Amino acid sequence: MDALSNPRATDPVVTRLRPGDGALSLDAASCVPPEAPLAMPTQSLTRFNRAERHKNLNRHRVFGCWLARLFVFGGGLVLTGYGAYEMYKVVEVGSVTLLKWALLFLFVANFSWIALAFTSAIAGFIWLLMFPPKPPAPPDALHERTAIMMPIYNEAPVRVFAALEAMIEEVGASGLGHAFEWFFLSDTTDPEIFVAEEQAFLAMRERLLGQGCRLFYRHRPKNLNRKSGNIEEFVTRWGGRYAHMVVLDADSLMTGHTIIALAAAMEADPDAGIIQTLPLIVNRNTLFARLQQFAARIYGPVIAAGVSICMGRDGNYWGHNAIIRTKAFAAHCGLPVLRGRPPLGGHILSHDFVEAALIRRAGYAVYMLPSLGGSYEECPPSLIDLSTRDRRWCQGNLQHLRILPAKGLHPMSRQHFMTGIMAYVSSPLWMAQLIVGIILVLQASYIRPEYFSSSFTLFPTWPRFDPQRSLELFALTMTILILPKFFGLALGLAQGTTRRGAGGAIRLVASVFFEIIMSALLAPIMMLIQSGHVMHFVFGLDTGWDPQRRDDGSIPFKDIVRRHRSHVAMGVLSLVAGLSISPSLVAWMSPTILGLILAIFLSWGTGLRGVGVALRRAGLLLTPEEQMTPPVVARANFLAEERARLDAEGPKGLYLLHADPQFRAFHSACLPRPQKRRNGNISAEWALADAKLSDAETIDEAISWLHQKERMAILQDQVLIAHLALLPKDQPGAEAASPAG
């Protein structure tokens, strides 16, 4: 028998494909494959045995990587040293006070961050311009099995199922579909979405029947440890079936060529642990999202190339659109629980950085294929939605302060952690630098100076700065910040496909300048938002795990006002204080002040779909993927619209479970094995659901009484499902009603 239908498939070594591998035989109620467990032990951060590291089987070129690192880090250090020297010369006129030392420290901290990004962008630009990497050729055959998994958490089923179906079709069309198995890994806690996922899975499996596709769906009763726990549960149950696994996000899309190329690259490189792609943003319509989409497409390749050439085989992992060696991941990436309480203790939130560091510590390579292409994702549609996501990422990245001292980590892994931490800490540092600068100007303007101190001096102490050096240093800082964008512009103008896809040279240049202006206005708002996040966690407050809002559509204006009124107040206060001190100070801070004063209208306007669509019609912020939509994206959008129309009618949620015996049998068969209940081992939701089902005379009455957690308790318990099925239904058309509670 072949490996796919062998009842002994629980053996974790059964991962290679054999001649004759075909579709896995599934009965009507089956939704998961035979289990093949892999142990995933928790890793220690305080102990590491180097003797257990993976020994590289091949020799890999590292000279180019070290040369790039010398340029990036050496150049960044030289640039930071020059900036620090110039800033010292700015503040040393007169005596260097404590506040001036504070300003110097804050400037160096912020300047070093942007200097490193600048030199990395230069390296990426030179590499892409002079030595453009060639995308890998598609393989003729694959010899190992790969799992493609999409973790989902209260997402719209029509979107995620359409996306995966489009990917399955492209991979199947290549003739190599037999090498892949596909999983929906659901952590959904909303009962209506839970039922809709199962309904979509059954419909999708029926459509793909006969195409040799192996499609599975698993729902966890409790979403322990969030996404990392979802992946860990998959590995410990089925990891032994798969040599590799491709991890997606709920908004991910990848072409069939890209998925196959990743699998081929992993097969060809036995020393690789994780191979990452560069996802581009698609399907965005609001102005805010289109700004991100345009920036990722035009500037992203330069930045990614710089990161790739500098990091080499010691790279990072962004949690999705990447392929992972399953056995290495299981053996070395079991995440520990950090001591202490959240937000800086407890479960690790930004697990991807940590998993990359742990698998690299074990001797496996982590790298990116920046020229591969065909990898896509979406982004938040508004500033407030981005802030919600950023809050969770901020907490996760700050947790990495606890992981930095871990034993055995590669120096580049520690650098990745520092980069992630600085991405958020730089905002309060920037704000502190602005505040200290304002205090110094205020001090010079309103506080009477003592020109002669009590000690003997030949010359007076003048409380002033060097204005010429200050202006030159400001110009240098702005150049370092903006020049990487012009690298992306230059590359886009040189590449015919990108230039034409962006609407031509004139529209591309206009779009870049428009994006720079909008970024300058939005930056101070994000500075205050991220500073608030950092302070929030410094004072020990935890964040939740809310599902990300991915659909376009404006947030109510009153919510925008409530969220940004403090930012507007800060802008007005800065303007009044600046005018009372010095008009030149206002001119220097004008982008920051203007962005804060307009915060409400910027957040509202950039979150409107109509504004973004109007700019697209005008030919601004266009990307090649909009001008010529990739087939996998177009197919996923079509399937989502088609599925949304089909789902508009018919019973939903518990009504469907009650009305359709066949669906009820499938749902019950997919539940975990029932456990014997003892006294005291019954949840409050289960008891309440049981009582309400017992008291109700009809299904309509029961559902109107049930709250969300009680509905979920019914969906996860065969006894309650059987109880639900016995209730009569005496009100025609009730299934179309919107259940209360």
Side-chain angles (χ1 to χ4, degrees):
M1 297 181 68
D2 60 73
L4 295 175
S5 58
N6 189 347
R8 293 183 63 254
T10 54
D11 184 349
V13 302
V14 182
T15 58
R16 292 190 65 83
L17 298 173
R18 300 177 184 178
D21 276 355
L24 186 63
S25 177
L26 296 174
D27 58 45
S30 177
C31 57
V32 295
E35 293 194 1
L38 270 185
M40 195 165 177
T42 300
Q43 301 301 302
S44 173
L45 299 179
T46 58
R47 297 184 307 275
F48 178 68
N49 185 0
R50 292 186 175 274
E52 297 177 359
R53 296 179 82 247
H54 168 77
K55 302 298 188 295
N56 285 350
L57 302 177
N58 299 315
R59 294 180 61 86
H60 304 281
R61 296 179 180 178
V62 296
F63 176 75
C65 174
W66 281 105
L67 189 63
R69 287 179 188 175
L70 178 62
F71 175 80
V72 170
F73 292 104
L77 182 63
V78 169
L79 202 54
T80 300
Y82 175 75
Y85 172 78
E86 288 297 309
M87 188 63 184
Y88 179 77
K89 287 295 184 180
V90 168
V91 301
E92 78 158 346
V93 180
S95 62
V96 183
T97 64
L98 183 62
L99 276 178
K100 287 184 176 182
W101 280 118
L103 182 65
L104 177 61
F105 169 79
L106 291 168
F107 172 82
V108 171
N110 287 318
F111 191 83
S112 63
W113 164 250
I114 64 172
L116 192 62
F118 174 69
T119 53
S120 177
I122 293 177
F125 178 67
I126 294 173
W127 186 39
L128 291 178
L129 196 64
M130 301 182 64
F131 314 102
K134 296 181 180 179
D140 297 326
L142 293 173
H143 307 287
E144 296 176 320
R145 183 189 286 114
T146 300
I148 316 289
M149 60 183 71
M150 180 175 279
I152 48 180
Y153 176 71
N154 293 334
E155 303 284 347
V158 293
R159 295 166 60 92
V160 294
F161 281 79
L164 204 67
E165 185 170 351
M167 288 185 267
I168 290 172
E169 289 178 354
E170 281 214 354
V171 171
S174 71
L176 297 175
H178 63 280
F180 301 92
E181 293 184 358
W182 308 78
F183 283 82
F184 291 102
L185 303 179
S186 174
D187 268 2
T188 291
T189 57
D190 186 304
E192 304 296 318
I193 297 178
F194 180 16
V195 172
E197 287 173 357
E198 291 188 322
Q199 191 178 14
F201 168 71
L202 285 173
M204 182 174 166
R205 193 175 69 174
E206 184 178 352
R207 287 194 300 274
L208 297 173
L209 191 64
Q211 298 185 23
C213 171
R214 306 177 185 89
L215 179 66
F216 306 108
Y217 172 88
R218 186 274 287 135
H219 179 268
R220 281 203 304 170
K222 294 184 179 180
N223 59 321
L224 298 175
N225 295 341
R226 305 176 182 179
K227 182 179 177 180
S228 63
N230 199 350
I231 301 299
E232 180 179 353
E233 199 258 6
F234 168 85
V235 171
T236 55
R237 288 184 66 181
W238 298 290
R241 288 179 57 84
Y242 308 103
H244 324 122
M245 56 184 185
V246 174
V247 179
L248 305 171
D249 260 356
D251 60 356
S252 293
L253 270 171
M254 298 178 76
T255 65
H257 167 77
T258 300
I259 292 172
I260 292 168
L262 285 175
M266 189 63 85
E267 286 190 10
D269 186 356
D271 300 322
I274 300 176
I275 304 178
Q276 177 79 56
T277 66
L278 172 64
L280 298 177
I281 300 174
V282 293
N283 288 334
R284 299 293 79 190
N285 292 302
T286 67
L287 173 56
F288 182 81
R290 289 180 57 74
L291 287 167
Q292 295 179 78
Q293 180 176 273
F294 177 81
R297 181 61 179 85
I298 302 302
Y299 319 140
V302 172
I303 297 170
V307 171
S308 177
I309 191 175
C310 177
M311 300 309 166
R313 297 175 67 83
D314 309 314
N316 205 2
Y317 168 46
W318 304 322
H320 62 283
N321 292 31
I323 191 167
I324 301 172
R325 190 171 302 279
T326 311
K327 191 174 181 181
F329 184 84
H332 304 289
C333 295
L335 296 180
V337 176
L338 300 178
R339 291 182 179 180
R341 299 175 58 186
L344 299 183
H347 170 65
I348 295 174
L349 295 182
S350 293
H351 57 91
D352 40 11
F353 280 44
V354 182
E355 289 160 350
L358 292 177
I359 205 169
R360 185 68 193 92
R361 179 176 77 167
Y364 291 91
V366 180
Y367 58 92
M368 181 168 56
L369 299 177
S371 64
L372 177 56
S375 179
Y376 307 105
E377 63 179 347
E378 296 178 355
C379 67
S382 72
L383 182 60
I384 290 179
D385 290 306
L386 179 68
S387 170
T388 301
R389 187 187 72 176
D390 241 26
R391 175 184 168 92
R392 187 170 68 246
W393 286 7
C394 177
Q395 180 179 352
N397 284 18
L398 292 182
Q399 280 184 323
H400 294 164
L401 287 166
R402 304 278 306 279
I403 302 170
L404 267 173
K407 296 290 185 182
L409 295 186
H410 193 281
M412 295 309 300
S413 296
R414 300 187 200 275
Q415 197 275 333
H416 297 322
F417 286 137
M418 284 303 304
T419 299
I421 292 166
M422 278 297 297
Y424 292 96
V425 173
S426 60
S427 287
L429 290 178
W430 179 26
M431 186 171 70
Q433 181 180 335
L434 289 174
I435 293 172
V436 171
I438 291 173
I439 293 174
L440 283 169
V441 174
L442 180 64
Q443 185 184 57
S445 301
Y446 286 97
I447 298 177
R448 183 177 179 179
E450 292 187 10
Y451 294 104
F452 295 95
S453 61
S454 57
S455 59
F456 174 77
T457 58
L458 291 176
F459 301 99
T461 301
W462 301 105
R464 58 190 179 88
F465 296 90
D466 185 333
Q468 181 63 30
R469 283 184 182 271
S470 178
L471 186 61
E472 292 173 356
L473 189 57
F474 176 75
L476 175 65
T477 304
M478 290 299 101
T479 300
I480 290 175
L481 275 172
I482 295 175
L483 202 55
K485 295 178 183 283
F486 284 98
F487 291 158
L489 172 61
L491 200 65
L493 290 172
Q495 296 171 341
T497 303
T498 303
R499 184 180 64 252
R500 291 187 295 271
I506 294 176
R507 286 190 176 92
L508 176 56
V509 172
S511 296
V512 167
F513 278 96
F514 179 73
E515 190 278 334
I516 290 173
I517 293 171
M518 292 301 301
S519 296
L521 293 174
L522 292 169
I525 307 173
M526 285 305 302
M527 173 193 70
L528 291 183
I529 289 174
Q530 291 183 344
S531 298
H533 292 341
V534 172
M535 293 300 102
H536 190 90
F537 301 130
V538 166
F539 286 103
L541 299 176
D542 190 16
T543 183
W545 189 35
D546 298 322
Q548 182 176 315
R549 196 177 77 106
R550 306 184 191 277
D551 296 320
D552 295 329
S554 60
I555 295 174
F557 189 73
K558 62 179 182 180
D559 293 340
I560 296 174
V561 172
R562 184 170 60 250
R563 187 63 184 269
H564 294 294
R565 59 192 176 189
S566 61
H567 304 151
V568 175
M570 180 68 74
V572 172
L573 182 63
S574 300
L575 176 62
V576 173
L579 289 174
S580 65
I581 297 171
S582 169
S584 61
L585 177 64
V586 175
W588 176 64
M589 293 184 60
S590 57
T592 300
I593 293 174
L594 185 61
L596 293 177
I597 291 176
L598 298 177
I600 291 175
F601 295 101
L602 284 171
S603 182
W604 170 72
T606 57
L608 293 176
R609 176 189 175 96
V611 177
V613 172
L615 284 173
R616 181 170 60 194
R617 289 173 180 167
L620 291 179
L621 302 180
L622 292 176
T623 64
E625 289 70 30
E626 284 184 302
Q627 300 280 67
M628 186 174 293
T629 305
V632 69
V633 177
R635 179 62 176 165
N637 293 341
F638 172 79
L639 290 172
E641 293 173 3
E642 181 183 61
R643 188 66 194 170
R645 289 193 299 268
L646 294 175
D647 287 353
E649 301 177 358
K652 304 290 189 298
L654 293 182
Y655 281 117
L656 176 63
L657 199 67
H658 177 269
D660 190 337
Q662 186 175 1
F663 177 77
R664 187 166 62 247
F666 165 80
H667 174 84
S668 299
C670 289
L671 292 176
R673 293 179 181 177
Q675 298 179 353
K676 293 183 179 180
R677 288 191 173 82
R678 300 176 181 176
N679 293 336
N681 196 28
I682 297 176
S683 68
E685 291 80 12
W686 190 97
L688 286 170
D690 184 52
K692 291 179 180 181
L693 290 176
S694 299
D695 292 343
E697 295 183 359
T698 66
I699 181 64
D700 309 300
E701 188 175 41
I703 292 179
S704 69
W705 291 348
L706 292 165
H707 296 287
Q708 178 170 303
K709 289 185 178 180
E710 295 157 6
R711 293 178 193 158
M712 203 67 188
I714 293 173
L715 287 172
Q716 294 175 343
D717 188 88
Q718 295 184 4
V719 173
L720 295 180
I721 291 172
H723 198 166
L724 177 80
L726 295 176
L727 289 173
K729 175 174 174 292
D730 60 0
Q731 297 181 20
E735 67 272 5
S738 176

